[in-house]
């Protein structure tokens, strides 16, 4: 008792709220103690206020999406080969199970019955055949449309066709919808996104609903009972500048995420060539900590060893998929323009995930203090390095710090000792 300032109480409150969330649409807000620091890493006080109860997304979605690498150059052969590669590389076993087709799968016009049809040149066998293929491998198939009159690549889209299109996808065996924001006629997202939720629901098929309104109308404030995840930002680009700015924008909404509904800072660029190995390692570590969807955006048929090493780091994936489901956040920034950063969040089992992230242009030492984590300084903590895959310190007290290379991060799990409490 009293070893950890307020951890057990808070975690109990959080857990009971999660249990409650799955059985009711409206739940009371959990009461979280006021933090002693500027950031309370346990704060999920906005989570679950509204909750889409389709039972999906108990942890952030994992898989692959065609857009970041292939854009419009897609076809059914590529999708099948990608499914094959997810299996043969072992990525599927690590949890990457959604195979998501982005824009350009459709013919340019609806058929004579006003229904969506696949592009006959690139998807001649149809989407149902593809869904069957993917399902035979125990994977899931995702598809794409826009809450507008056209998709971003000017194919037919689903505004005012919600029921027909949802029924079409369900009949094909689709498991996931990414719903974009192009050609939206200036109608507010809060009016355009719920009709598709209801249409998907009425198919009776459980379809993961991924909102992509680019964070324009602060969807964290209203999308909890609309979708399973909501984009918080504009599209990611394969650059350090884009990735870091998106991480900061997504951080703002940490208290709104939780099982069933996640903030989405967009898909991974790891392996696409625009960042260095260490920058991609930072990208993957922070996305995992932020409980972001882990949707691979590279060509998984042709990954370098470094790309595979990053994407297949099971210890980092485990942080992302931790059942407690609290989004980690930026808890300290020091150095020039705050470029020496500590990001952290609680994990199940009374542990913490910590990322020491150096966004400066030179190497520097970054330290996390127990105070920042809500721990008493005298507590002894064991530290495991998730990139070295080693227990590095058995009994750190008061703080832990390491040198970190420029644009790199180090990621750790911290386990306070002597705690009688286990989640
Ligand atoms: C399918 O798409 C891939 C990736 O763009 C391309 O390399 C391949 O040539 C295409 N195959 C066909 C049959 O069009
Ligand atoms: C439809 O919504 C109801 C009420 O939220 C929910 O209980 C049910 O699981 C949903 N069904 C599907 C298929 O999403
Ligand atoms: C595989 O990736 C490398 C770059 O890592 C590229 O040079 C090569 O063309 C790719 N091969 C195929 C078949 O796409
Ligand atoms: C942030 O970290 C720096 C360096 O460890 C420390 O001096 C500072 O007090 C910390 N700020 C807060 C608000 O914890």
């Amino acid at each position: 008792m009293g070893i950890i300032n307020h951890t057990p109480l808070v975690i109990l409150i959080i857990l009971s709220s999660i249990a409650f969330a799955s059985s009711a649409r409206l739940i009371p807000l959990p009461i979280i103690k006021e933090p002693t620091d500027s950031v309370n890493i346990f704060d999920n006080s906005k989570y679950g206020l509204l909750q889409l109860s389709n039972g999906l997304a108990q942890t952030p979605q994992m898989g692959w999406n065609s857009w970041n690498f292939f854009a419009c150059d897609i076809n059914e052969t590529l999708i099948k080969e990608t499914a094959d590669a997810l299996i043969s590389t072992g990525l599927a076993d690590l949890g990457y199970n959604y195979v998501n087709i982005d824009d350009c799968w459709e013919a340019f016009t609806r058929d004579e019955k006003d229904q969506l049809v696949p592009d006959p040149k690139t998807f001649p066998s149809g989407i149902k055949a593809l869904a069957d293929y993917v399902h035979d491998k125990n994977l899931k198939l995702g598809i794409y449309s826009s809450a507008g009159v056209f998709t971003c690549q000017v194919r037919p889209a689903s505004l005012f066709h919600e029921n027909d299109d949802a029924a079409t996808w369900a009949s094909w065996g689709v498991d996931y919808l990414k719903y974009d924001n192009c050609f939206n006629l200036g109608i507010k997202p809060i009016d355009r996104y719920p009709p598709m939720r209801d249409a998907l629901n009425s198919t009776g098929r459980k379809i993961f609903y991924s909102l992509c309104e680019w964070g324009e109308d602060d969807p964290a404030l209203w999308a909890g009972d609309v979708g399973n995840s909501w984009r918080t930002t504009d599209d990611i680009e394969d650059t350090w500048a884009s990735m870091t700015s998106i991480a900061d924008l997504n951080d703002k909404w940490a208290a709104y995420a939780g099982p069933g509904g996640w903030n989405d800072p967009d898909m991974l660029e790891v392996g696409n060539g625009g960042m260095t190995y260490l920058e991609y390692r930072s990208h993957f570590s922070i996305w995992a900590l932020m409980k972001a969807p882990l949707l691979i955006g590279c060509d998984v048929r042709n990954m370098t060893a470094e790309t595979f090493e990053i994407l297949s780091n099971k210890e980092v994936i485990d942080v992302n998929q931790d059942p407690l489901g609290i989004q980690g956040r930026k808890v300290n920034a020091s150095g020039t323009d705050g470029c020496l950063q500590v990001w952290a969040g609680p994990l199940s089992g009374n542990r913490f995930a910590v990322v020491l992230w150096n966004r400066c242009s030179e190497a520097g030492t970054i330290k996390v203090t127990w105070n920042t984590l809500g721990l008493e300084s005298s507590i002894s903590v064991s530290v495991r390095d998730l990139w070295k895959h080693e227990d590095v310190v058995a009994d750190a007290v008061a703080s832990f710090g390491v040198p970190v290379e420029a644009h790199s991060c180090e990621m750790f799990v911290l386990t306070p000792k002597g705690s009688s409490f286990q989640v």
Side-chain angles (χ1 to χ4, degrees), residues 133-156:
Y133 185 89
V134 161
H135 291 157
D136 278 348
K137 297 182 178 290
N138 262 326
L139 298 170
K140 297 179 173 137
L141 189 75
I143 213 153
Y144 165 98
S145 185
S146 179
V149 290
F150 297 108
T151 71
C152 298
Q153 299 298 313
V154 206
R155 314 280 168 126

Side-chain angles (χ1 to χ4, degrees), residues 23-56:
S23 59
R25 288 185 68 95
L26 285 168
I27 63 164
L29 289 174
I31 299 155
I32 306 282
K33 274 194 177 179
E34 278 306 308
T36 48
D37 299 299
S38 52
V39 184
N40 176 4
I41 66 168
F42 295 99
D43 178 17
N44 68 345
S45 57
K46 306 294 195 292
Y47 159 66
L49 179 59
L50 303 161
Q51 185 77 53
L52 176 64
S53 46
N54 64 2
L56 300 174

Side-chain angles (χ1 to χ4, degrees), residues 17-94:
S17 74
I18 291 168
F20 198 25
S22 57
S23 59
R25 288 185 68 95
L26 285 168
I27 63 164
L29 289 174
I31 299 155
I32 306 282
K33 274 194 177 179
E34 278 306 308
T36 48
D37 299 299
S38 52
V39 184
N40 176 4
I41 66 168
F42 295 99
D43 178 17
N44 68 345
S45 57
K46 306 294 195 292
Y47 159 66
L49 179 59
L50 303 161
Q51 185 77 53
L52 176 64
S53 46
N54 64 2
L56 300 174
Q58 292 308 297
T59 59
Q61 65 268 43
M62 294 178 66
W64 172 89
N65 173 291
S66 54
W67 187 258
N68 283 355
F69 188 82
F70 295 99
C72 240
D73 295 328
I74 56 170
N75 54 61
E76 62 187 35
T77 309
L78 167 71
I79 303 301
K80 286 183 181 174
E81 288 178 0
T82 296
D84 296 347
L86 288 172
I87 302 289
S88 64
T89 56
L91 288 172
D93 280 340
L94 288 165

Side-chain angles (χ1 to χ4, degrees), residues 37-39 331-335 340 342 365-369 371-372:
D37 299 299
S38 52
V39 184
V331 295
N332 185 289
S334 57
L340 296 171
V342 181
T365 292
I366 312 179
K367 185 173 78 172
V368 56
T369 63
N371 188 47
T372 316

